[in-house]
Amino acid sequence: MNSRAAGYATIFVSCLAQLIVTVDMTVLYLAVPELTVQLGASSVSMLWIVDIYGFTMAGLLVTMGNLGDRVGRRRMLVCGVIAFAVASVLTAYAPTAELLIIARALLGVAGAAILPATTSLLRVVFTTQRARTAAVGASAGVSAAGFAVGPILGGVLLNEFWWGSVFLVNVPIALLILAAAKFIPESRAPHRLRLDLASVLLSVIGVVSVVYTIKSIFHVGLWQPDVLSALLLGVLTLGLFARRQLRLPVPLIDLRLFRSREFTASVGSNLVAVFTLSAFGFIISQYFQLVLEWTPLKAGLAYVPGALAAVVAGGLLAATAINRLGRGNAVALGLVLAAIGFGMLGTVQASSPYTLVVVAQIAVGAGAGLTLTVTGDTILGTVPRDRAGAAAAISVTAYELGGSLGIAIVGSVISGIYRAQLVLPQGVPQAVAERVQESFSAAVASGLPEPAATAVQAAATEAYLGGIRTSMIFSAAITVLLALVVARFLRGVPKVIEQETAREQDSPLGT
């Protein structure tokens, strides 16, 4: 098989696969109001509809990454894409909230099969540092842009069609991926590796329990019996999992990878970068729709500058930044750019010009694209090729965890500050006041006569903007701190990380 054709096909497949999986994390941002009405979903059901995708994906990423190393990464990718297309159709036509939750869970399972396979294939196909960095940059840039493309796509489709259309669009993209995947060589670990079922069970239970606990803390508090039980179960199972990995000759996750300073710093950077990026996307979506009262289409199109910046910075500028600045300084530069964007949005007012938001989006998009590209390339470049799937799974798990935490924590911070700072005018009926205290969207449609309705909406808007400003300043501070840490810990990592020795080469299954 022509190596150039294989390279182009791998980049093409990786970008499209990353896009459809990432888009499905954020595409529901704009569809939630319509879903609530058409399916009659309760607030609890809506939380599960939004969250179950990330739960199942996070729990299975490590297992699927290792399974791909064993049975073949292209095979795992193809199976995952087919399953993703089928689950997308089931999701689009789900008649009830309960069936929609099940379909979203199946999407998460398929996504867990896709992401580690695409990332590890980049490591196998591209054997030089420059080519690998460019390929990872294109994939990471598209992945970062996916946070913005989701609302863009959702806005365009919801303007013309029903909510299920945001999932049906995955089907033609999946067909393109399957057509291009024929040109990608198959690969797997050189030795037949046994999948330890006890480790699989412990990792799934542990990760899902911890993610559920973290999300639930910010919705109902830590001291609820189910939340405490999930926390204890997660800590126990992950402890047993870690102990088992250290004893197995071929572990599901090689914890010794974390002895590498560059690997640990890169994984941590991924987690924090995606945390702040997902929080930024969530806040921008709320600002456009609730504060400015834009239509879904207009709000979606307003994401375009940030998406383009992420693709350009990841795909075109990352290699140059590594060569001129070194890996540590390149990651730090990306984080500082993102921090500038967060800081700018930390000054936002209801009357702020769109220019402010555009510049903030470009800074965050470019910073995220650059950061995720350099850290992703460093992770893949510093592990043996036969463990590429497992390493990719660790990286993607950090990515998913960061995304889930960003939305849960920042969303809860905004809600808490909103309730604390909300001061309603005198004379507002108690029932209306309680609804407005609970949700900013209730203030937009309070049903009060004028001028009381305008006064209530103005007070709620100011309180909500206070939550946005606080959370963005907090995100900027975290990102600057991380930039300082990363610049130090990645200081000694070489600019060029070439492939390891021949003994670590994967065994080709088809060329």
Side-chain angles (χ1 to χ4, degrees):
M1 179 181 294
N2 185 289
S3 59
R4 178 169 294 183
Y8 287 142
T10 304
I11 294 177
F12 179 76
V13 165
S14 179
C15 288
L16 286 185
Q18 292 276 356
L19 184 64
I20 61 171
V21 174
T22 308
V23 161
D24 269 43
M25 298 177 196
T26 59
V27 76
L28 282 181
Y29 283 175
L30 303 180
V32 165
E34 188 175 345
L35 271 174
T36 304
V37 173
Q38 293 197 13
L39 297 184
S42 65
S43 58
V44 174
S45 295
M46 283 311 307
L47 286 175
W48 279 107
I49 289 170
V50 173
D51 291 343
I52 193 65
Y53 178 72
F55 281 166
T56 52
M57 191 184 303
L60 290 170
L61 280 168
V62 171
T63 298
M64 294 296 189
N66 279 269
L67 196 58
D69 284 341
R70 290 160 170 78
V71 305
R73 291 150 188 150
R74 185 180 66 178
R75 181 181 300 170
M76 181 61 65
L77 170 67
V78 168
C79 291
V81 170
I82 293 173
F84 203 88
V86 172
S88 295
V89 175
L90 296 176
T91 304
Y93 292 103
T96 66
E98 290 74 21
L99 290 176
L100 180 57
I101 292 171
I102 294 173
R104 287 277 288 170
L106 294 176
L107 275 175
V109 174
I114 292 172
L115 287 183
T118 57
T119 306
S120 56
L121 280 170
L122 293 174
R123 168 71 195 254
V124 173
V125 172
F126 295 96
T127 57
T128 65
Q129 189 265 332
R130 178 174 290 275
R132 187 185 64 241
T133 300
V136 172
S139 178
V142 170
S143 181
F147 281 98
V149 172
I152 295 169
L153 185 63
V156 172
L157 293 174
L158 289 171
N159 194 62
E160 300 291 337
F161 307 104
W162 95 114
W163 62 266
S165 62
V166 301
F167 298 105
L168 283 183
V169 75
N170 292 331
V171 177
I173 297 176
L175 294 177
L176 286 174
I177 293 173
L178 293 175
K182 297 177 181 179
F183 298 96
I184 301 176
E186 181 62 286
S187 68
R188 69 181 180 197
H191 306 292
R192 199 69 179 177
L193 304 175
R194 187 175 65 89
L195 190 66
D196 184 61
L197 295 181
S199 295
V200 169
L201 186 62
L202 289 171
S203 70
V204 171
I205 294 174
V207 171
V208 172
S209 297
V210 169
V211 172
Y212 174 81
T213 299
I214 293 171
K215 282 181 170 286
S216 298
I217 285 175
F218 296 99
H219 290 300
V220 298
L222 174 62
W223 305 112
Q224 296 295 320
D226 60 325
V227 180
L228 278 175
S229 299
L231 175 61
L232 293 175
L233 179 63
V235 171
L236 176 63
T237 51
L238 288 181
L240 293 173
F241 174 78
R243 181 182 179 186
R244 186 171 183 85
Q245 301 317 291
L246 293 173
R247 295 182 175 183
L248 289 174
V250 182
L252 195 65
I253 287 183
D254 188 354
L255 297 179
R256 289 179 291 272
L257 289 174
F258 288 96
R259 294 177 182 173
S260 166
R261 186 178 63 181
E262 54 267 29
F263 182 85
T264 303
S266 297
V267 170
S269 298
N270 267 2
L271 190 152
V272 177
V274 175
F275 173 99
T276 52
L277 180 64
S278 62
F280 183 84
F282 174 79
I283 287 174
I284 287 292
S285 172
Q286 301 296 299
Y287 176 74
F288 286 152
Q289 292 187 87
L290 298 180
V291 177
L292 301 184
E293 299 183 54
W294 287 0
T295 64
L297 176 60
K298 187 176 180 179
L301 293 176
Y303 279 83
V304 170
L308 291 177
V311 174
V312 170
L316 302 179
L317 303 181
T320 301
I322 291 174
N323 291 332
R324 294 189 177 183
L325 304 176
R327 292 178 179 268
N329 289 334
V331 175
L333 174 61
L335 293 170
V336 169
L337 284 174
I340 291 172
F342 298 141
M344 293 182 65
L345 201 62
T347 67
V348 73
Q349 305 287 338
S351 59
S352 295
Y354 177 57
T355 306
L356 173 71
V357 182
V358 167
V359 176
Q361 278 186 294
I362 292 173
V364 172
L370 179 58
T371 298
L372 295 176
T373 297
V374 180
T375 56
D377 180 66
T378 304
I379 290 169
L380 289 182
T382 53
V383 299
R385 291 181 68 193
D386 64 339
R387 301 298 289 161
I394 295 174
S395 175
V396 176
T397 300
Y399 191 102
E400 295 300 316
L401 186 59
S404 299
L405 290 178
I407 295 173
I409 294 176
V410 173
S412 300
V413 168
I414 291 176
S415 297
I417 294 175
Y418 167 75
R419 288 191 291 268
Q421 294 187 355
L422 181 62
V423 179
L424 294 175
Q426 294 293 328
V428 177
Q430 181 65 26
V432 174
E434 290 178 355
R435 291 200 306 270
V436 174
Q437 281 277 356
E438 183 64 27
S439 170
F440 174 52
S441 59
V444 178
S446 64
L448 294 173
E450 293 294 349
T454 300
V456 167
Q457 185 172 347
T461 298
E462 185 54 37
Y464 196 78
L465 286 172
I468 289 179
R469 289 190 291 265
T470 301
S471 60
M472 284 292 90
I473 295 299
F474 173 72
S475 296
I478 289 179
T479 310
V480 169
L481 179 62
L482 178 63
L484 296 174
V485 173
V486 168
R488 178 181 178 183
F489 279 90
L490 294 183
R491 183 181 301 165
V493 181
K495 296 178 181 180
V496 177
I497 304 176
E498 299 294 358
Q499 299 287 50
E500 303 296 334
T501 59
R503 64 183 176 84
E504 292 173 337
Q505 298 288 320
D506 288 294
S507 60
L509 300 182
T511 57

